[in-house]
Amino acid sequence: MAIDVLMPALSPTMEEGTLAKWLVAEGDAVKSGQIIAEIETDKATMEFEAVDEGIVGKILVAAGTSGVKVNEPILRLIEAGEDANAAPAPVAEKAVAEKAVAAKAAPAVAASTSAAVAVVSKASPDWPAGTPMKTMTVREALREAMAEEMRANPNVMLMGEEVGEYQGAYKISQGLLDEFGPKRVVDTPITEMGFTGIAVGAAWGGLNPIVEFMTFNFSLQAIDHILNSAAKTNYMSGGQLGCPIVFRGANGAAARVGAQHSQDFAAWYASVPGLKVVMPYSAADAKGLLKQAIRDPNPVVFLENEIMYGQSFEVPDLPDFTIPFSKARIWREGTDATIVSFGIGMRYALEAADLLAKDGISVEVIDLRTLRPLDYDTVLASIQKTNRCVCVEEGFPVASMSDHLASTIMQRAFDYLDAPVITCTGKDVPMPYAANLEKLALVTTAEVVAAVKSVCYR
Amino acid sequence: MAAKSTTPDTGATDGKKSNVSKDELLKYYREMLLIRRFEEKAGQLYGMGLIGGFCHLYIGQEAVVVGLEACTKEGDKRVTSYRDHGHMLACGMEANGVMAELTGREGGYSRGKGGSMHMFSREKHFYGGHGIVGAQVPIGAGLAFADRYKGNDNVTFTYFGDGAANQGQVYEAYNMAELWDLPVIFVIENNGYAMGTSVKRSTKSTSLYGRGLAYGIPGEQVDGMDVLAVKAAGEAAVAHCRAGKGPYILEMMTYRYRGHSMSDPAKYRTREEVEKMKAEKDAIEHVRDLLLGAGLANEDELKAIDKQIKDVVNASAEFAKESPEPSVSELYTDIYA
Ligand SMILES: Cc1ncc(C[n+]2csc(CCOP(=O)(O)OP(=O)(O)O)c2C)c(N)n1
Ligand SMILES: [Mg+2]
């Protein structure tokens, strides 16, 4: 019976891909485990192995075709003597699979949209009016930031797992080994505590290390050095031993990777005096703030997000631009309520603001960008105007950034509030793997919309 | 105490010489094939979007866990990394429950909450399924600590990769395991690579089996593609542990045929290298050759087994698709015991 081989999903986030090359031709016999094609995903070119055995009856999608959707039939396997045009075995699996793919794509925020996000607010204060802009992904912005700073300062170097020859587990360091060589782009063994301690020592010894954690989940192996060695020593040494180092990598929930690999450490690190903590949303902020972080004489924890890496934004096309710490950005001005967020939380915030605008509620959206030191003034000024506030983040609710903001607003702007501050966060549970539960565990746009309506008594 | 290397490339055992019975060989054949077919199916379901996130396949390494499970008795424990499907099948966990966990459904071993990397079975003494590289190593020593405390003769099999072998906590665990004579076998599954980093690029001390010597732990390098060699080494290590002599290290020389996880393009090794391993060292082909070569089984018998295994795996895939998603109320259960 003929079997249709379907376009495979080859990464947690892949929805379509390019059929780069066929390694079999019509008439060839195929064995289970044989590599039959090369398929390009957003991140890499992957080899695709056959599971079923048979003869290649018909190639349904020609080599070089791009935009082939996951689960589209790409090749028909037949048995000897069978007609290649015979209808394939009814694949009951296919309907189920399509449902599953739809379910996977359903948490709209988790699926990467490649369309550029338009800047709704008026001219940015971060660069001069009339600055030419270019579109780039957060991934490219981070790479450019590191490359520019490495060109400018020979003491800047990058260290971490798979940053060099593999070109980065998430391809943030792609090309850096070629340009800067193995002395400055250092592949480490899987020994986070050791290489983090080594990097702290190297910083005291006169270098400006960038430490990449493959994801921040693994920074827990090294958190002692981040807190006890890097953050506290300037103070303990009476100001003698500042530690110019950047700890960066993917933070927060990715897609379907379970409890040990999905956690937002924003509030954890932001609670530590001696650290600076940055969590950008847009590509421009990722670039400008990472350059700033590399130049800063203090340890900076720089929290990225895997789901944001492929997202495109407008970035100023300037030879050298930085964004100062402790300056929030107002993405959208409004009069009825303020949403304060940061990092990927901005997606929910901006989506909610769009939806609320249709209901006639004008929302001001503030992106904190830097979590320590935090730009309280921008937040408080906005609340003096709108008198209502909702805080949004993906992390756990207890002892969250949102709790800290709510408490600060209560202490410093109580008389301006017309409603209690509401916090919208991830749920108080370890991240479940099941698709339906994962969706519920994350903060949702609907929850943000409901919270804003509630503070507006609507 | 000693560290020895049984030169993996020449150590392939001969079925007749080792007096291994037909039943035993057929059991290994069946168990290894189950893992392989199961993993191929999992790869296929991943491609269809039914499995999400990270999914690390065990294809190529089957002989390690099947050979060592043949040395266990009731009460023995095992703990491993995220590359755990093979370990679960080999210790007797049901294919249905494993596959349904991969699809994140109610019928899975963690009722859909753990996923590919996080499954557990108290009944089968399988303690996970751990996503943090190296973290299972002291945990394994801790399971052995409890057995020693209780005074039984159970042994814990603690599996970890060549990459994990560089983590500091491994050596903290080695030191205490030997200091307190813990009945734990540290099984290093050396498949040559930690993601894209070959062993040679991560250490100059590449004889991983010898790294316990400084603490007083004997170690041995074993051809992990040869289930009989694995079994023989496992028996000796188990005897050492059960006799109260403390921990033992087995470095299993093995190979993973697929990428690190589903999204690894595997550009760090050549296609020829992979094909050569498949052609010359495949663990399942080895047992197949022993069976056919010694006239212990014929093609038809093996075909019948292949068919049985395919049926089990297909049934598990059906089960994993049909099983419903966990109920929404499950979000807030199981946070505390
Ligand atoms: C502490 C920690 N650091 C990094 C990772 C990311 N990571 C997952 S698996 C892996 C490679 C491990 O290789 P190895 O120990 O050889 O096991 P194998 O995958 O080959 O079975 C890495 C770096 C992790 N999960 N945990
Ligand atoms: Mg390995």
Side-chain angles (χ1 to χ4, degrees), chain A residues 87-382:
Chain A
V91 238
E93 285 178 347
K94 209 186 142 201
V96 184
E98 270 163 8
K99 223 171 52 204
V101 168
K104 219 172 65 163
V109 282
S112 75
T113 43
S114 48
V117 171
V119 180
V120 182
S121 106
K122 55 186 194 250
S124 164
D126 296 322
W127 47 82
T131 299
M133 304 294 279
K134 58 183 174 180
T135 302
M136 67 166 75
T137 61
V138 172
R139 175 180 282 117
E140 289 159 349
L142 293 166
R143 185 186 305 143
E144 268 196 11
M146 287 195 285
E148 287 176 15
E149 292 307 300
M150 289 177 80
R151 277 172 215 138
N153 179 353
N155 289 327
V156 177
M157 46 85 58
L158 173 67
M159 177 182 269
E161 292 157 22
E162 309 290 4
V163 297
E165 290 193 17
Y166 197 82
Q167 308 294 326
Y170 297 101
K171 302 285 171 271
I172 307 303
S173 56
Q174 190 154 37
L176 297 186
L177 177 66
D178 286 349
E179 180 174 353
F180 300 103
K183 181 178 168 194
R184 299 181 67 192
V185 179
V186 181
D187 279 322
T188 65
I190 311 169
T191 50
E192 287 84 3
M193 188 168 195
F195 69 69
T196 303
I198 285 175
V200 169
W204 287 338
L207 303 187
N208 299 78
I210 306 168
V211 172
E212 175 174 308
F213 292 117
M214 193 176 285
T215 76
F216 259 90
N217 302 290
F218 317 138
S219 76
L220 289 189
Q221 299 284 315
I223 198 167
D224 182 65
H225 278 306
I226 303 174
L227 271 51
N228 275 327
S229 307
K232 298 178 184 174
T233 306
N234 194 57
Y235 192 80
M236 295 192 299
S237 65
Q240 297 178 71
L241 275 188
C243 190
I245 191 169
V246 177
F247 304 104
R248 53 154 289 273
N251 168 65
R256 306 287 308 279
V257 292
Q260 290 186 333
H261 283 77
S262 313
Q263 193 162 320
D264 175 7
F265 294 98
W268 291 51
Y269 286 113
S271 74
V272 181
L275 290 181
K276 295 191 177 180
V277 181
V278 180
M279 188 150 155
Y281 163 62
S282 75
D285 289 346
K287 183 170 179 192
L289 287 165
L290 183 53
K291 285 167 67 76
Q292 183 77 12
I294 295 168
R295 294 176 193 187
D296 198 281
N298 296 288
V300 180
V301 170
F302 194 93
L303 303 167
E304 302 160 11
N305 187 297
E306 185 192 338
I307 288 165
M308 294 299 298
Y309 281 149
Q311 171 101 41
S312 294
F313 292 85
E314 297 289 300
V315 177
D317 195 2
L318 295 170
D320 187 26
F321 101 102
T322 56
I323 290 178
F325 289 164
S326 196
K327 260 188 73 194
R329 170 170 179 184
I330 299 173
W331 273 80
R332 181 177 178 124
E333 295 188 347
T335 51
D336 296 331
T338 302
I339 299 180
V340 183
S341 189
F342 51 92
I344 195 168
M346 286 298 296
R347 278 192 166 186
Y348 310 97
L350 292 171
E351 272 177 27
D354 275 347
L355 293 171
L356 288 158
K358 290 183 191 134
D359 280 349
I361 299 175
S362 158
V363 180
E364 182 141 302
V365 180
I366 297 177
D367 177 0
L368 291 174
R369 306 196 288 193
T370 310
L371 304 182
R372 176 182 276 272
L374 200 143
D375 181 1
Y376 295 105
D377 292 349
T378 299
V379 174
L380 294 169
S382 178

Side-chain angles (χ1 to χ4, degrees), chain B residues 61 82-83 161-163 189-195 256:
Chain B
Q61 302 181 211
Y82 44 84
R83 196 179 300 286
D162 47 282
E189 297 198 60
N190 184 348
N191 59 12
Y193 297 89
M195 248 167 137
R256 73 167 149 69

Side-chain angles (χ1 to χ4, degrees), chain B:
Chain B
M1 186 227 315
K4 55 180 177 178
S5 166
T6 51
T7 39
D9 286 334
T10 55
T13 40
D14 171 325
K16 256 191 259 160
K17 225 189 294 166
S18 60
N19 271 335
V20 54
S21 72
K22 168 180 176 172
D23 284 352
E24 193 180 343
L25 281 176
L26 281 178
K27 176 169 130 42
Y28 298 150
Y29 182 73
R30 205 175 281 122
E31 290 178 357
M32 290 195 291
L33 200 64
L34 173 64
I35 295 174
R36 181 153 310 174
R37 294 288 172 260
F38 181 95
E39 293 291 62
E40 286 166 358
K41 187 52 108 181
Q44 196 182 23
L45 297 189
Y46 191 97
M48 295 165 72
L50 282 158
I51 297 172
F54 294 135
C55 183
H56 309 84
L57 302 182
Y58 196 63
I59 298 178
Q61 302 181 211
E62 297 91 344
V64 175
V65 79
V66 166
L68 288 179
E69 279 297 332
C71 308
T72 61
K73 69 166 181 58
E74 170 55 31
D76 288 346
K77 303 179 172 59
R78 53 289 275 170
V79 63
T80 187
S81 70
Y82 44 84
R83 196 179 300 286
D84 55 356
H85 313 160
H87 303 71
M88 292 187 279
L89 295 173
C91 76
M93 290 168 67
E94 301 283 337
N96 281 7
V98 179
M99 197 66 98
E101 189 59 37
L102 296 184
T103 53
R105 306 299 174 89
E106 198 177 84
Y109 268 99
S110 302
R111 297 208 308 281
K113 291 169 153 183
S116 163
M117 301 188 285
H118 309 302
M119 279 180 248
F120 309 83
S121 166
R122 264 212 185 268
E123 186 204 342
K124 299 291 180 193
H125 314 296
F126 178 75
Y127 289 86
H130 295 268
I132 304 302
V133 167
Q136 75 273 27
V137 181
I139 291 171
L143 290 165
F145 184 96
D147 277 325
R148 179 153 169 80
Y149 186 99
K150 292 188 172 169
N152 58 44
D153 70 344
N154 295 336
V155 169
T156 298
F157 292 80
T158 300
Y159 295 87
F160 55 103
D162 47 282
N166 291 318
Q167 281 285 29
Q169 57 181 316
V170 170
Y171 299 91
E172 298 183 23
Y174 278 7
N175 186 44
M176 286 180 272
E178 179 62 24
L179 183 65
W180 298 329
D181 292 328
L182 304 182
V184 51
I185 302 178
F186 296 108
V187 184
I188 305 167
E189 297 198 60
N190 184 348
N191 59 12
Y193 297 89
M195 248 167 137
T197 303
S198 66
V199 173
K200 277 199 286 299
R201 291 210 306 116
S202 70
T203 186
K204 285 193 177 172
S205 153
T206 52
S207 299
L208 304 180
Y209 64 95
R211 288 198 191 170
L213 282 182
Y215 304 92
I217 309 176
E220 193 177 329
Q221 190 179 61
V222 182
D223 181 354
M225 303 301 278
D226 177 354
V227 70
L228 299 179
V230 171
K231 165 88 184 322
E235 296 267 291
V238 165
H240 178 94
C241 286
R242 290 213 210 283
K245 294 185 190 161
Y248 205 95
I249 295 171
L250 293 176
E251 181 187 6
M252 298 290 174
M253 305 309 286
T254 183
Y255 200 78
R256 73 167 149 69
Y257 292 177
R258 298 289 186 95
H260 168 75
S261 66
M262 300 305 295
S263 50
D264 172 19
K267 294 293 178 223
Y268 44 83
R269 61 185 189 187
T270 61
R271 193 175 287 169
E272 290 68 46
E273 178 183 307
V274 182
E275 292 307 321
K276 190 166 147 60
M277 267 291 174
K278 287 186 188 174
E280 294 173 11
K281 293 291 297 176
D282 188 77
I284 299 177
E285 286 301 318
H286 175 53
V287 172
R288 206 185 142 80
D289 290 347
L290 290 180
L291 280 163
L292 295 174
L296 295 171
N298 60 37
E299 289 277 358
D300 286 344
E301 265 173 284
L302 297 187
K303 268 222 170 95
I305 292 175
D306 293 3
K307 165 98 177 55
Q308 283 165 11
I309 301 280
K310 256 204 168 132
D311 291 346
V312 170
V313 168
N314 285 338
S316 77
E318 279 316 305
F319 177 79
K321 287 183 222 162
E322 297 304 320
S323 178
E325 288 190 309
S327 123
V328 164
S329 64
E330 286 281 329
L331 185 62
Y332 287 101
T333 61
D334 304 326
I335 299 168
Y336 297 100

Side-chain angles (χ1 to χ4, degrees), chain A residues 44-55:
Chain A
T45 303
M46 306 277 296
E47 291 174 343
F48 177 41
E49 293 181 9
V51 175
D52 301 294
E53 320 222 315
I55 294 164

